[in-house]
Amino acid sequence: MKPDVLFLLHWPSAIHGSSIVGLSIKESREINRAFNTRYINLLLSDEVNESGELTFRKFYKGLLIAGRLFKELVRRRPSVCYFALTTTGAAFLKDFILIFLLKLFRVPLVYHLHNKGFEERKDSFFFRRLFHFAFANSAVILLSRHLYSDVAPYVQPGQIRICPNGVTAAHYRNGQEKEDIPEILFLSNLIRAKGVEVLLDACLLLKERNCSFRCTLAGGDGDISGMELVELIEEKGLSAQVSYVGCKFGEEKEQVFSAASIFAFPTYYKAETFGLVNVEAMQYRLPVVSTFEGGIPDVVEDGVTGFLVPQRDVVSLADKLEVLIKDEDLRVRMGQAGYRKYEKEFTFRKFESRLIEILQGGISVSAEVSGQYGLTRSRRK
């Protein structure tokens, strides 16, 4: 008999990596074949600039979600609950209501953390108590071993499961002719901390160094609007080199990836865990220039599939972009290495298999995990 799994996740908005993954899980044939599945949508906001804000509408939607969960638990208690937990602020408090209900019904919990932020609350006695309660007797899926320090005070190494995100195969236009002038692509929500302004400053340096390049910026409004970004491009005198093309989904997204020569994602976003867009770029055989943040070092292999630079370091970013702009052979080698890494580690089929194995394995604490992934937990004083 197949286990009954209740999935609490986010869909269908494509504004966040967790929503993209959530929709992929919901539509996965293999996951739905392996379990008797039920789904509850946790998404409260469809707009990037509403994320993290507490509004009456979101509060009301949260109450409806709690009511839906209670009905599902009364109707049939699941074998296990997969919970795409939000880690910060009011969103965590909303999720904690759901956690309390699940623990009241003694449902085994497997959390999947697509963001981070527990460490920021380490000085709050109130939140520390909530975190200890939430994680007790549960399994916790992390996207990378580098993210363990965020939850280490509340989670034993043996509770951890490592499951990197995966993306479905892209329609890469193999052999497509590219422009003679190398094109840098940035694709993300227009959030300052994702590094879009840092990239513009690096482009200004490249222009001053007489580098021949183009840069395409794609993404929806965040704490910077598309109009503000266009004005910023004009103010910096980069209109001839840099263009903003708005949101890109589906075939249009495939086109901007296929036309690019280099992918740049100089994020310093404090909740960054994985950088799913870097994996998407690797599908298109693009060398990636990103930063040492979250689990990105597990995705982008510095000097092999691209370069990692210090956060907010405009000069270092410009230096690495210049190297790739001027060396086509290096771009090709790094791009091919990135594609091989994607095929080996980050396909959606790999992700499906790992997740199914984790859910079938239940929440038993395994001592092997800490040794396998090098996880250590410092002794609390």
Side-chain angles (χ1 to χ4, degrees):
M1 185 175 179
K2 295 190 292 187
D4 184 69
V5 181
L6 176 61
F7 288 86
L8 306 186
L9 38 75
H10 306 83
W11 85 85
S13 172
I15 61 175
H16 296 299
S18 61
S19 299
I20 296 171
V21 174
L23 182 59
S24 298
I25 290 173
K26 185 174 182 291
E27 294 181 344
S28 166
R29 291 184 180 180
E30 294 301 317
I31 291 172
N32 286 294
R33 185 181 293 126
F35 308 108
N36 293 317
T37 57
R38 290 179 282 164
Y39 296 92
I40 294 179
N41 192 354
L42 299 178
L43 194 70
L44 296 181
S45 173
D46 290 318
E47 300 295 331
V48 176
N49 53 16
E50 289 184 3
S51 297
E53 295 181 0
L54 181 61
T55 64
F56 177 79
R57 183 172 67 89
K58 290 169 72 173
F59 177 75
Y60 177 69
K61 288 179 70 174
L63 290 179
L64 292 179
I65 291 170
R68 166 79 188 281
L69 174 61
F70 181 77
K71 290 179 181 178
E72 289 289 341
L73 294 174
V74 170
R75 183 168 68 91
R76 187 171 78 250
R77 188 174 77 93
S79 308
V80 66
C81 176
Y82 167 99
F83 198 144
L85 183 66
T86 305
T87 62
T88 56
F92 173 78
L93 295 177
K94 178 268 295 180
D95 282 357
F96 186 80
I97 296 172
L98 308 182
I99 292 168
F100 183 82
L101 283 174
L102 289 159
K103 286 183 176 282
L104 185 66
F105 280 80
R106 299 182 180 277
V107 178
L109 278 160
V110 176
Y111 297 109
H112 200 167
L113 304 186
H114 292 278
N115 49 24
K116 52 188 172 73
F118 294 105
E119 193 170 10
E120 295 177 13
R121 301 283 184 172
K122 64 183 179 182
D123 295 327
S124 168
F125 175 79
F126 173 71
F127 274 97
R128 288 202 310 270
R129 297 287 290 179
L130 296 186
F131 296 156
H132 279 295
F133 177 84
F135 288 122
N137 302 314
S138 66
V140 179
I141 302 173
L142 299 180
L143 306 181
S144 164
R145 58 193 169 85
H146 293 289
L147 301 170
Y148 178 60
S149 61
D150 191 50
V151 296
Y154 320 106
V155 181
Q156 296 286 344
Q159 293 176 256
I160 296 296
R161 309 291 183 266
I162 304 296
C163 182
N165 283 333
V167 294
T168 53
H171 295 97
Y172 172 67
R173 292 161 173 78
N174 193 20
Q176 174 173 305
E177 291 292 327
K178 296 183 184 290
E179 298 288 338
D180 292 335
I181 299 176
E183 181 169 321
I184 302 165
L185 173 65
F186 171 92
L187 191 150
S188 176
N189 295 315
L190 300 183
I191 299 172
R192 284 182 171 84
K194 296 287 186 176
V196 62
E197 291 176 319
V198 177
L199 178 57
L200 283 181
D201 288 338
C203 287
L204 187 57
L205 273 182
L206 292 172
K207 179 184 177 182
E208 292 171 353
R209 296 175 184 179
N210 295 316
C211 289
S212 181
F213 73 97
R214 293 196 183 96
C215 181
T216 297
L217 309 177
D221 290 358
D223 56 9
I224 304 175
S225 70
M227 185 176 297
E228 290 172 329
L229 185 59
V230 170
E231 291 174 355
L232 192 58
I233 292 168
E234 292 174 352
E235 287 174 9
K236 293 181 180 294
L238 289 168
S239 297
Q241 291 82 20
V242 182
S243 59
Y244 170 63
V245 296
C247 289
K248 295 296 176 183
F249 300 106
E251 187 174 344
E252 288 186 337
K253 183 177 178 180
E254 293 170 2
Q255 288 172 351
V256 294
F257 268 122
S258 296
S261 310
I262 304 162
F263 187 73
F265 187 59
T267 180
Y268 56 95
Y269 187 52
K270 62 183 180 181
E272 198 79 64
T273 54
F274 190 72
L276 188 64
V277 70
N278 288 331
V279 175
E280 292 183 287
M282 288 158 63
Q283 286 188 95
Y284 290 88
R285 299 162 173 80
L286 298 180
V288 177
V289 183
S290 193
T291 59
F292 295 93
E293 178 60 61
I296 290 176
D298 275 349
V299 178
V300 181
E301 193 172 348
D302 189 31
V304 179
T305 67
F307 294 113
L308 295 175
V309 299
Q311 296 175 12
R312 308 194 206 199
D313 191 330
V314 174
V315 175
S316 292
L317 177 60
D319 288 345
K320 296 305 183 185
L321 290 173
E322 183 177 7
V323 168
L324 290 168
I325 286 168
K326 293 181 175 180
D327 193 336
E328 182 179 0
D329 289 341
L330 181 62
R331 293 199 304 268
V332 171
R333 287 200 307 273
M334 285 187 162
Q336 292 293 347
Y339 181 73
R340 290 193 296 270
K341 188 175 179 69
Y342 155 73
E343 282 198 313
K344 182 180 178 182
E345 301 180 30
F346 303 126
T347 65
F348 186 68
R349 181 60 60 86
K350 296 277 188 184
F351 171 79
E352 280 179 318
S353 298
R354 291 188 191 107
L355 186 57
I356 290 170
E357 183 180 354
I358 289 168
L359 293 175
Q360 288 176 335
I363 64 167
S364 59
V365 174
S366 171
E368 296 177 2
V369 176
S370 56
Q372 182 180 358
Y373 295 106
L375 302 176
T376 58
R377 178 178 179 176
S378 58
R379 186 171 297 173
R380 300 182 67 191
K381 296 181 179 179

